[in-house]
Amino acid sequence: MTTPDPIAPELSVPPDLILTSAQRALLHEVASRNDRDHGADFLGIVLSGSVARGMATERSDLDVYVVHAQETGRSTTRSPVVDEIPTTLADLDDVSPFASEGWWYRWSFAYAVTLLDRTGGRIEPAVARLAAVDADEQRQILLDHDRLDGWVNYAYRSLKSDRDGRRREARLDAVESIPWLLDVVFTLEGRVRPYHKYLPWELREHPLPHWPGEDLLRLLDATMDGDPAALRETYARVRERCLAHDAASGSTVLQDVVDDWGVELEIFG
């Protein structure tokens, strides 16, 4: 439930969203200016960034998506206090696939706050969809884009180098495995992987249902040191989640990806 902001009647600000008086005035100015310049074409405002997620510092600016019915010809404007990003409702409805340019912007809508919606309620679900990964996307990310097989590959190479006494090489492959691992972990939970800055925050404030955040962060820290025990523990957890995902979907597709490694899996202990 949101309540009207007293200085900007059209903006609905959640009670737990912390804004300074200057930030409220900036949001009011953005809304008023777009209302004046674009009229009925101006459809809404979505607040993203650290302010929306309760992580603001004294240096944080406002990341404001201004939603229009059609392209305005304006580009993003940036200042030390506010980044104003014009977008359209069609853009919000367009779910960019994994590894495309648009994919890298999708997490910016995770836990964003819709402050104004003149569409009859279309903006908020569109924003939420951008930060989610549905069943078709899960298959594409894990299988078509080889994120699961790729993670196993880097972890395997790291363990092999460690076994052979090549510690630097083991650490390099362990570190390179981390983005692949995070794609796997968050995809299996139906979520877009967060930007690194927000990873501890998301794990704390929006825990993964099947992977305790402190355990994941501990394993990531150890993986960055090239710790073979961490890679083996992570492998066991990933395999467990893959088996559970397969059971829920009535298939063996993820288990098959892992099992295709055959006897090479013995290095995972």
Side-chain angles (χ1 to χ4, degrees):
M1 177 67 68
T2 60
T3 56
D5 185 304
I7 69 164
E10 284 197 271
L11 299 183
S12 293
V13 179
D16 58 348
L17 179 60
I18 299 173
L19 296 171
T20 66
S21 58
Q23 288 169 335
R24 289 174 180 267
L26 276 170
L27 289 168
H28 178 58
E29 189 277 327
V30 170
S32 299
R33 172 167 37 79
N34 279 278
D35 195 27
R36 181 183 67 247
D37 295 346
H38 301 284
D41 190 61
F42 169 48
L43 300 180
I45 286 181
V46 177
L47 179 66
S48 182
S50 296
V51 175
R53 300 179 180 96
M55 286 184 61
T57 69
E58 66 276 6
R59 294 185 297 274
S60 296
D61 61 1
L62 294 171
D63 295 309
V64 183
Y65 285 89
V66 181
V67 186
H68 299 277
Q70 56 190 347
E71 294 287 348
T72 64
R74 296 184 61 217
S75 57
T76 297
T77 57
R78 302 184 186 278
S79 78
V81 292
V82 60
D83 291 349
E84 187 174 337
I85 310 146
T87 189
T88 66
L89 190 60
D91 288 336
L92 294 181
D93 287 333
D94 182 18
V95 181
S96 299
F98 181 82
S100 69
E101 181 180 1
W103 166 266
W104 307 113
Y105 296 100
R106 280 176 54 179
W107 193 84
S108 65
F109 294 101
Y111 318 109
V113 180
T114 301
L115 298 177
L116 174 64
D117 185 353
R118 293 174 170 175
T119 68
R122 291 179 57 188
I123 292 178
E124 191 162 350
V127 166
R129 172 64 185 92
L130 288 170
V133 175
D134 65 18
D136 287 341
E137 286 189 299
Q138 286 179 322
R139 183 181 184 90
Q140 291 164 9
I141 294 168
L142 297 172
L143 302 177
D144 297 347
H145 288 279
D146 294 323
R147 300 313 277 184
L148 175 58
D149 191 54
W151 176 76
V152 175
N153 178 53
Y154 277 115
Y156 165 77
R157 289 178 178 276
S158 179
L159 289 172
K160 199 164 64 163
S161 287
D162 178 77
R163 179 197 63 193
D164 296 340
R166 297 192 296 270
R167 288 296 302 143
R168 180 184 295 109
E169 293 87 339
R171 290 196 301 272
L172 287 170
D173 277 323
V175 169
E176 195 151 0
S177 77
I178 289 175
W180 300 72
L181 171 65
L182 291 174
D183 281 333
V184 170
V185 168
F186 279 88
T187 295
L188 284 170
E189 300 293 348
R191 285 151 64 167
V192 174
R193 168 164 67 97
Y195 306 143
H196 296 315
K197 169 184 175 180
Y198 293 104
L199 176 61
W201 174 87
E202 177 161 351
L203 292 175
R204 181 180 67 252
E205 299 296 327
H206 304 277
L208 295 171
H210 304 101
W211 199 314
E214 288 305 315
D215 285 353
L216 180 56
L217 292 175
R218 171 181 57 81
L219 289 171
L220 291 177
D221 287 340
T223 296
M224 287 188 282
D225 291 332
D227 182 357
L231 289 169
R232 291 187 171 100
E233 181 180 347
T234 303
Y235 167 79
R237 287 174 175 265
V238 168
R239 182 178 177 84
E240 179 183 359
R241 289 298 307 126
C242 287
L243 292 174
H245 186 273
D246 279 348
S249 63
S251 72
T252 62
V253 291
L254 301 185
Q255 178 183 345
D256 292 344
V257 168
V258 178
D259 288 349
D260 276 351
W261 281 81
V263 297
E264 305 290 6
L265 293 174
E266 292 176 2
I267 201 168
F268 289 98

